[in-house]
Amino acid sequence: MAFAAIHPEAGRIDATLPDLGRGLTWDQVHKTRPRVALRCPECSHGVHAKVSARKLRYFAHDPGRPADCAWLNESLEHHLLKLELATAIRAADWHAELEVRAPDGTWRADVLASSHDGTQRVAWEAQLSPITAEDIQERTERYWAEGIGVCWVSPGGKAPWIGNVPSIRVQEPRDGQPWTVVDGPAAFHFEHGTWIAVDDPELTAFIRWVLHGQTIPHRVRPRYRRIWYPTSEGYRRRSLIWTTSRHVDTETRHEAMRQRQDERKRQREEQERQAEQQRQTEAEARRQEEERQREAQRQEQERQRKIQAAEDAARWAEQRRQREIEAEQARQRREVEERQRQEQARAAEEQRRRQEREEELAAGRWWAQLSPAQVDQLRDAVAEPLWKREATRVEFDPLGVTVDSAYGIAIHVRRRLHGILRPSPASLHRLPPVVPVYVRNVREAHELVSTGNIDPVRVVHFDLPDHEQMSLM
Ligand SMILES: [Zn+2]
């Protein structure tokens, strides 16, 4: 079914208009005899005027119609929606043409709204059947390329392109309510920072707003594409909505605010990042400084340790040198002492030899004073009294004069030392202790005692003459 047809004389006629748009009456095309040769504007097949049971005027294809005519399979519902759109456009004091196609066939509008001066056109598409996103986008851009606005209208709940192209979803009349727009227009709420769907305006009012430029299609900024629907209390994603320029400005203002916030946040984050970087840099610098100080301290300690070690080594070397010097001095001292000791020993030995020599010479002189007879005389003087008194035999040392007997002659009685005969005055220090000594006379006794080297009580003397008595010769 269709609302438009081509009249053989009047041209294109419209069943929705009282004068069919060409100053004709419905009766001039409906059930006339002979029949008016009306044609389908789309496929040029023959059509005839009809009235539905609900008094709806339309054109129907004659029998033998082509299967591919665009209008052929449209539903009544589709037609009623187109009629509603056309009625609302006319109520806004614009022209409305149904089922219009471009002269070159690039587009075909369900309802084309035109301003009186013909400068503005808006195509209203009642889209009931499924259509791909690519198709609807392409058809939209084709309108825009011709300078024609467009609004896709869906009466159903399932139209995935709602919000992708300029579009609305409408609700058919019920409970005495007129046609309403339930999806498409939205208002921006600054305090919420979001678009909120406008609550079900009447379709007639919406179309008037659009045609008068009060409501415009708007591509929502990416940040705001989750739109709040109060009636369903949920969000839906929409990139193209209908709204007023005031709300567009509000969105722009909000976006600017958000960008300022973003910028402030970015600056804050950048400041924090720089602060963190600064902290890290400072921490690294501190760490390096501490490391440097530790290294410097370590090197200083090492230096001090080396200095200490060098000082210790020098001190030890000095001490060793001192000990060596002292040892050398001690050695030299010992050598000197040893030399002195040897010298003293040599001197003492020399002294002893000289002493012995002198004693020997003195003893020689001592004994030279006596003749052998005088010696015998003295021996007898010692021996005779003992023999006479005690019958004791006196034995004179057969060695004669000996050094051990102080250059005198040892006298034994019964194998025991009895005394020393005439020791030399120069050698009295050699006398064995205690035993008496025997000399010739008081002069010799005096000579011994005058040395001071013998106790006078030990000296026994006789009265023998110093010179040989002639009588004894
Ligand atoms: Zn046709």
Side-chain angles (χ1 to χ4, degrees), residues 40 42-43 61 69:
C40 171
E42 182 72 14
C43 67
H61 282 76
C69 178

Side-chain angles (χ1 to χ4, degrees), residues 2 39-47 61 65-66 68-72:
R39 297 205 168 276
C40 171
E42 182 72 14
C43 67
S44 297
H45 193 77
V47 296
H61 282 76
R65 64 204 179 185
D68 59 349
C69 178
W71 306 132
L72 198 58

